[in-house]
Amino acid sequence: MKKTICIILALAVILTVCLGCMAGCQKDNGNKIKLIEVTHSVFYAPLYVAIDGGYFAEEGLEIELSNGGGADKCMTSLIAGQSDIGLMGPEAAIYIANEGRSDHPVIFAQLTKKDGSFLMARQPDADFSWTDLAGKNVIGGRKGGVPAMALEYAIKKAGLVDGKDYKLNFDVQFDLIGPAFEGGTGDYCTMFEPAASAMQSQGKGYIVASVGEQAGDMPFTAFMATKSFMEKNSDKVEKFTRAIVKAMEFVNTHKAEEIAKILAPSFNGTSEASLTTAIQAYKDIDAYSTTPIMKAEDFDLLQNVIIEAGVMTKKADFAKLFDATIAQKILNE
């Protein structure tokens, strides 16, 4: 984990210098928010509803969305000032805070409350049990990332220990898990929607279980910004959060078919039928948060999972990392 943090901080310094050199050539847009997401998935449906449903526009905001392809890259972009707001796992903020950085990221709204990945097998298995992973090789994603740690925790709840009863493969990058599995690596892998359903429809892998259901509630993805950005742009963050809250309510009160129609523009090449299936899969496991307010007990479980995975040894202060001020103000409106 220390090596990961060092890499993040080094890259952040380089990016900061480059951005400083270009600052004079760029025109500031007071309504624009540069948002970086950890990956592009229906798992983050409320975000795309806020974009495609016009909730950000109602708040007078223009969203410039980019895909970081991993929490480490997202965090590097955030602390370097290349991005204003990041959507990623809270673990990224925990790591930076534990290193003692003064201008650490602050989480201001939670988006999902469970792991959104589904366990994929090479053959359909209606009678799958987590103990079936004994003696198997499972592609888990990047070591230190919540998807990998939540998966390890879910399997551990079934009584299996990595390295003893099965092998958790950390050698495949998160965004290359699908191609690696299709190419013959591993007996099982995990995929987010709509990629999981797409793989299944092509007969290249089959959904047998939900990691989120097995692992339990934890703050899986959340919006965060550096302390300095929050202090200087509280109005922007408030408008952003208000749009997200409206979108969250829409997702939690409407059918999957209706949601799919709204966010379809963000998933060109994916049919509304596939989007509907993916959204319903997340509704079925109660993955979408109903409130932007993070629960301290869920945050504590997340940190326990990280510690059990051997990635860190001390917990971060919940009150230091999560600021509910803006979200609570909006909920009180």
Side-chain angles (χ1 to χ4, degrees), residues 147-190:
M149 291 184 287
L151 173 61
E152 183 176 4
Y153 178 73
I155 300 174
K156 186 180 292 185
K157 288 180 70 174
L160 302 182
V161 178
D162 177 33
K164 176 184 176 183
D165 304 305
Y166 75 102
K167 172 65 177 176
L168 194 54
N169 185 341
F170 298 112
D171 297 333
V172 182
Q173 290 182 210
F174 180 81
D175 52 353
L176 296 178
I177 290 177
F181 187 69
E182 292 176 15
T185 300
D187 301 302
Y188 293 84
C189 76
T190 55

Side-chain angles (χ1 to χ4, degrees), residues 38-284:
V38 64
T39 190
H40 197 67
S41 170
V42 177
F43 188 41
Y44 314 131
L47 169 60
Y48 311 120
V49 167
I51 294 173
D52 301 319
Y55 293 117
F56 284 129
E58 286 179 7
E59 296 294 328
L61 296 177
E62 176 188 345
I63 302 299
E64 182 181 293
L65 182 65
S66 62
N67 188 333
D72 52 343
K73 298 180 182 66
C74 286
M75 184 54 68
T76 296
S77 178
L78 194 67
I79 64 178
Q82 190 178 32
S83 299
D84 301 323
I85 294 174
L87 174 64
M88 66 192 91
E91 84 283 0
I94 292 171
Y95 298 160
I96 297 299
N98 278 348
E99 287 295 313
R101 181 181 173 86
S102 58
D103 190 19
H104 62 81
V106 175
I107 301 165
F108 60 87
Q110 181 175 326
L111 191 69
T112 59
K113 59 180 179 178
K114 277 188 176 72
D115 185 304
S117 56
F118 293 89
L119 188 68
M120 310 295 295
R122 295 200 173 277
Q123 298 295 330
D125 188 354
D127 299 318
F128 173 81
S129 168
W130 285 91
T131 55
D132 293 342
L133 297 182
K136 305 297 183 181
N137 184 290
V138 185
I139 304 178
R142 179 178 61 84
K143 189 174 182 62
V146 170
M149 291 184 287
L151 173 61
E152 183 176 4
Y153 178 73
I155 300 174
K156 186 180 292 185
K157 288 180 70 174
L160 302 182
V161 178
D162 177 33
K164 176 184 176 183
D165 304 305
Y166 75 102
K167 172 65 177 176
L168 194 54
N169 185 341
F170 298 112
D171 297 333
V172 182
Q173 290 182 210
F174 180 81
D175 52 353
L176 296 178
I177 290 177
F181 187 69
E182 292 176 15
T185 300
D187 301 302
Y188 293 84
C189 76
T190 55
M191 298 290 292
F192 281 75
E193 291 285 13
S197 292
M199 179 182 283
Q200 182 165 275
S201 67
Q202 296 166 8
K204 297 178 179 179
Y206 299 88
I207 300 172
V208 293
S210 160
V211 177
E213 274 191 321
Q214 174 73 358
D217 285 3
M218 64 182 75
F220 204 76
T221 39
F223 293 104
M224 61 192 75
T226 59
K227 285 179 61 180
S228 59
F229 183 85
M230 294 275 288
E231 291 168 357
K232 297 175 183 177
N233 300 275
S234 60
D235 57 332
K236 270 189 178 182
V237 177
E238 182 175 327
K239 291 176 180 178
F240 182 93
T241 307
R242 184 176 291 108
I244 289 296
V245 169
K246 291 178 180 177
M248 289 172 65
E249 182 178 358
F250 183 92
V251 169
N252 281 291
T253 58
H254 287 72
K255 295 181 178 179
E257 294 88 344
E258 298 172 284
I259 300 168
K261 288 183 182 296
I262 297 294
L263 55 70
S266 288
F267 292 88
N268 289 325
T270 304
S271 69
E272 285 189 17
S274 295
L275 291 174
T276 298
T277 298
I279 294 167
Q280 190 59 55
Y282 285 128
K283 279 180 166 286
D284 289 343

